[in-house]
Amino acid sequence: MSGGLVALLDDVAALARIAAASVDDVAAGAAKASAKAAGVVIDDAAVTPQYVTGAEPSRELPIIWRIAKGSLRNKLLIIVPVLLVLSQFVPWILTPILMLGGTYLCFEGAEKVWAKIRGHHAEKGEPAVSQGKDAEDKVVKSAITTDFILSCEIMVISLNEIADETLLSRAIILVVVAIGITLLVYGVVGLIVKMDDIGLHLAQKESEGSQKFGRLLVAGMPHVLDFISLVGTFAMLWVGGHIILVGMDDLGFHAPYAFVHGIEGLVAGVAVMGPFLAWLINTFFSLVLGLLWGLVVVGIVHLLPIGRKHGDVHKGTDSARGTAAEARAGSPAQAGEPSPDGDGPTGSHAPGHRPGDSA
């Protein structure tokens, strides 16, 4: 009996080791897949806060939660199953799909750069979320649609990194990536949109240090959003350009990749800094290729009738971001300084109202 028990325990231990190894493989695969999709994740986090611009503070987190649920539903019920079927039966199609996604990233990044070069400043309008429930529903639907495009790119990039895994492993890893990235993006977005509320709360404390830090948070959030947007733009160009670079090599056009790889080889042997310098060179040329590739697409798109419509959409996006910056910046008085008559903080920061909501 004891021998049978020992054998059973050995079997259980062996199964536990296999399970632990599988968990490690899934974790490693998920980390590898998520890292390559980082550029799109940053852009997703940079884009989403605009959708709660002008919303009542009590509605900000519920709106983000609705968008997050829609994003997760799209990933788990549509994107992951479709990609798994394609990877299993027509794996060759993933490279063209990936390059299409990369082209879209290059286009979005290049259009932002082109708008900056032209000095484009959008007119500001009333945020849709301040216009009632129907308008809020439309904003949520629009956000989920935009997220669907970005989620497709994230999952295709992730799948491309684990293409050699078994079907079951690919499925588990993609589900882990889908859930993890959704929680990460919308958790960060929730923190970003509430950061000014935290600042306002601190600004109304008795401590002078808390007041200063609170006002700093309120005044700094527009700059944080601008920085995230800038990083997202560069990340889109870099990731998109790298996808195009590798995709062309996979499809038989080897010259661009061979050129970049050759330059990488010149610095790869440098002590300590070699790997970093090689990565930096690859990133630089990927970014340049992404910008050039994207500018070509921008030129083509804006020659077509749809280009004007696309420009209008971006004008609305820029307007929302501009209004968001004003709404979240406020002023020192709005951030908690007493009014001249001593009646308390100015800016009418009563429940349900934040500085700049009327902008």
Side-chain angles (χ1 to χ4, degrees), residues 16-300:
R17 284 193 295 271
I18 294 172
S22 298
V23 170
D24 288 342
D25 290 342
V26 169
K32 180 182 178 183
S34 301
K36 270 301 179 71
V40 194
V41 172
I42 293 172
D43 187 55
D44 205 357
V47 167
T48 306
Q50 67 174 291
Y51 293 106
V52 295
T53 300
E56 291 290 329
S58 62
R59 292 301 305 157
E60 288 179 337
L61 292 183
I63 290 173
I64 291 172
W65 174 237
R66 289 178 64 188
I67 299 171
K69 287 192 295 183
S71 172
L72 192 58
R73 185 167 56 245
N74 284 339
K75 289 185 181 80
L76 296 181
L77 300 183
I78 302 175
I79 299 172
V80 170
V82 169
L83 289 181
L84 287 173
V85 170
L86 292 176
S87 69
Q88 187 66 21
F89 297 105
V90 281
W92 58 266
I93 203 173
L94 290 179
T95 295
I97 291 176
L98 196 59
M99 291 185 71
L100 284 175
T103 298
Y104 178 79
L105 285 176
C106 295
F107 166 68
E108 287 288 310
E111 189 164 57
K112 292 178 182 179
V113 172
W114 181 243
K116 288 290 185 182
I117 292 174
R118 292 178 58 196
H120 173 72
H121 298 286
E123 296 179 1
K124 300 171 185 174
E126 183 182 10
V129 287
S130 67
Q131 300 172 14
K133 185 179 182 305
D134 290 341
E136 180 181 308
D137 291 341
K138 291 179 181 179
V139 167
V140 171
K141 182 178 180 181
S142 173
I144 293 174
T145 301
T146 300
D147 180 273
F148 182 84
I149 297 172
L150 295 173
S151 294
C152 284
E153 296 166 2
I154 290 170
M155 301 314 295
V156 172
I157 292 171
S158 301
L159 178 60
N160 190 61
E161 290 301 304
I162 56 171
D164 295 333
E165 301 286 340
T166 65
L167 177 62
L168 180 59
S169 294
R170 291 199 301 271
I172 295 173
I173 290 171
L174 287 182
V175 168
V176 170
V177 169
I179 295 173
I181 283 182
T182 303
L183 292 177
L184 173 64
V185 167
Y186 289 98
V188 170
V189 168
L191 181 62
I192 288 173
V193 301
K194 282 300 178 183
M195 194 62 71
D196 57 342
D197 284 340
I198 296 172
L200 287 167
H201 177 72
L202 291 174
Q204 295 171 0
K205 295 282 188 181
E206 293 183 1
S207 168
E208 184 178 349
S210 295
Q211 292 177 7
K212 288 182 178 179
F213 184 65
R215 289 195 291 270
L216 180 65
L217 280 179
V218 173
M221 282 314 298
H223 302 294
V224 171
L225 291 173
D226 288 342
F227 178 74
I228 292 175
S229 179
L230 178 64
V231 172
T233 299
F234 280 103
M236 282 191 294
L237 292 172
W238 159 50
V239 174
H242 186 73
I243 290 172
I244 299 301
L245 185 68
V246 175
M248 288 192 296
D249 186 64
D250 290 342
L251 294 178
F253 187 48
H254 305 297
Y257 185 84
F259 172 76
V260 175
H261 189 64
I263 298 180
E264 287 182 66
L266 296 176
V267 299
V270 176
V272 182
M273 294 293 291
F276 173 74
L277 292 175
W279 174 85
L280 200 62
I281 287 173
N282 188 292
T283 299
F284 171 76
F285 282 104
S286 295
L287 191 149
V288 171
L289 175 61
L291 179 60
L292 295 176
W293 190 277
L295 287 174
V296 170
V297 179
V298 167
I300 294 173

Side-chain angles (χ1 to χ4, degrees), residues 278-343:
W279 174 85
L280 200 62
I281 287 173
N282 188 292
T283 299
F284 171 76
F285 282 104
S286 295
L287 191 149
V288 171
L289 175 61
L291 179 60
L292 295 176
W293 190 277
L295 287 174
V296 170
V297 179
V298 167
I300 294 173
V301 167
H302 284 278
L303 288 175
L304 301 175
I306 193 175
R308 289 187 291 273
K309 186 179 294 185
H310 188 275
D312 291 340
V313 171
H314 277 268
K315 182 182 292 185
T317 299
D318 292 340
S319 172
R321 284 179 175 165
T323 308
E326 289 192 352
R328 300 189 184 284
S331 65
Q334 289 172 322
E337 290 185 356
S339 60
D341 59 7
D343 288 337

